[in-house]
Amino acid sequence: MSRRHEPSPPLSPLPSITLRGYGETMWLEGRAVVLEQKGLRRRIPVEAVEEARAMGRGRRSVEIALWGVDDAPGPVFTLEGRDATQAGRLVEVTNGARSSSGPAQGGAALVEERPVSTSGRRKGLGLTRRERAAAIVLLLVYVGGLALLAWAGEPQQAAWWLLGVAPALFGLLIVVPSLRWAWKRWTVRRRGVTVVAAFARREGKRTFFQYTDLEDRTHEIEPDYAARRIGGDPRRIEVVYDRQQPDRAVCSLTASTLLWRTAGVTLAGGLLLSLAFVMMPLQLILLVLSG
């Protein structure tokens, strides 16, 4: 009786860890190390890697040494990184996946190179239980303040109070989601892992990217429109996921984007809430002082 040959299962992809340098990037994609450097993208399969090493000041940089031919050393690619933790993770995962012996033709023969593309450079307000409770309290305060001013016989102050709800609501609609967004970014990045997310699918006008965590599980993220592209490639972005909740992630943004958003929220939200204070709480303060 002949034995049927069963194909071996495909190897799982590596966690898509990324390491940023100074104008350069290295990340894991599929079962390869991708190095984007000086306008060139190199895809280095793990079977071409003899050893990955953390090096340099603070061990923030990474060397990828390839297998050579006839006992001669192979080429070495280096990225001067900015994060020792990310460098250590990338080295550990790469060394854990590399082969114990190199290909006969050497590792350099397996490296794919191509120029970096320069094209393509460039959500609902669900409330928690605590936020719903705060909204109810604010509503009661609003109705109570209006009733108090009307009962005190101050129609002008009551009118200011009545109209002050508009800037208050618009100011809160700007500030509250921004504070929630900022809190999420801070908590995720505090215990996060930086990885590369690749384009996965599109649903109408919504786009979804996919990344792999350190446990080889895949997750999806709907990216920020200003998410940091890898070398300007719109199909690859940089994200940071929470190690404690790997499906919770945020997109990496440039410092200028964060600065402009913070300035916009502070200016618009701050002015509206200041106007609301003058039209509402200040009227109660004046009523108490006049009494």
Side-chain angles (χ1 to χ4, degrees):
M1 181 176 178
S2 61
R3 177 175 295 180
R4 184 177 176 182
H5 174 69
E6 294 290 342
S8 58
L11 296 174
S12 59
L14 302 177
S16 48
I17 299 169
T18 185
L19 175 66
R20 276 213 312 272
Y22 299 89
E24 305 171 347
T25 310
M26 180 183 291
W27 71 92
L28 303 179
E29 183 176 276
R31 293 190 60 80
V33 180
V34 182
L35 174 60
E36 194 166 276
Q37 192 175 56
K38 297 179 180 179
L40 194 65
R41 178 175 295 167
R42 295 184 176 93
R43 187 179 186 278
I44 308 169
V46 289
E47 55 265 29
V49 178
E50 181 179 13
E51 185 183 12
R53 300 183 286 262
M55 52 165 291
R57 182 179 178 183
R59 299 180 65 82
R60 295 178 295 185
S61 301
V62 169
E63 278 187 352
I64 301 295
L66 306 189
W67 290 101
V69 180
D70 297 331
D71 296 327
V76 177
F77 299 108
T78 303
L79 181 131
E80 295 184 8
R82 298 187 290 179
D83 188 327
T85 301
Q86 286 293 115
R89 288 170 179 155
L90 194 147
V91 167
E92 181 181 1
V93 172
T94 303
N95 284 333
R98 65 186 177 87
S99 303
S100 57
S101 59
Q105 69 273 36
L110 303 181
V111 177
E112 300 174 7
E113 295 184 352
R114 65 181 180 86
V116 175
S117 171
T118 58
S119 62
R121 288 195 182 272
R122 294 234 206 239
K123 286 185 188 152
L125 189 61
L127 297 178
T128 65
R129 181 179 300 178
R130 182 178 298 179
E131 289 167 341
R132 286 195 297 269
I136 293 173
V137 171
L138 290 175
L139 179 61
L140 293 175
V141 170
Y142 173 71
V143 174
L146 181 61
L148 179 62
L149 290 170
W151 175 79
E154 298 289 347
Q156 184 175 0
Q157 289 178 302
W160 279 108
W161 182 277
L162 182 66
L163 296 175
V165 70
L169 284 177
F170 282 112
L172 289 174
L173 286 173
I174 293 173
V175 172
V176 171
S178 300
L179 289 176
R180 292 172 61 190
W181 176 81
W183 174 254
K184 179 182 178 182
R185 289 193 64 83
W186 183 80
T187 55
V188 169
R189 295 191 69 88
R190 182 167 57 92
R191 54 177 181 244
V193 178
T194 306
V195 297
V196 171
F199 174 79
R201 59 192 176 89
R202 192 185 303 275
E203 290 184 5
K205 294 183 178 180
R206 300 176 66 188
T207 303
F208 295 89
F209 282 66
Q210 192 175 80
Y211 61 92
T212 305
D213 65 24
L214 293 173
E215 305 298 326
D216 291 339
R217 294 170 297 191
T218 58
H219 309 272
E220 284 191 342
I221 182 174
E222 191 172 359
D224 189 298
Y225 76 91
R228 186 193 297 272
R229 268 60 175 174
I230 302 297
D233 185 351
R235 299 180 65 87
R236 291 181 177 85
I237 61 173
E238 184 178 282
V239 304
V240 181
Y241 75 84
D242 190 335
R243 292 194 70 177
Q244 298 181 12
Q245 303 177 57
D247 59 343
R248 188 167 179 255
V250 296
C251 296
S252 293
L253 303 175
T254 62
S256 59
T257 297
L258 292 172
L259 178 63
W260 280 110
R261 289 189 180 182
T262 302
V265 169
T266 303
L267 183 61
L271 286 176
L272 288 170
L273 291 179
S274 298
L275 179 60
F277 174 82
V278 171
M279 297 176 72
M280 299 178 73
L282 184 61
Q283 302 308 313
L284 289 179
I285 295 173
L286 294 175
L287 178 65
V288 172
L289 294 177
S290 64

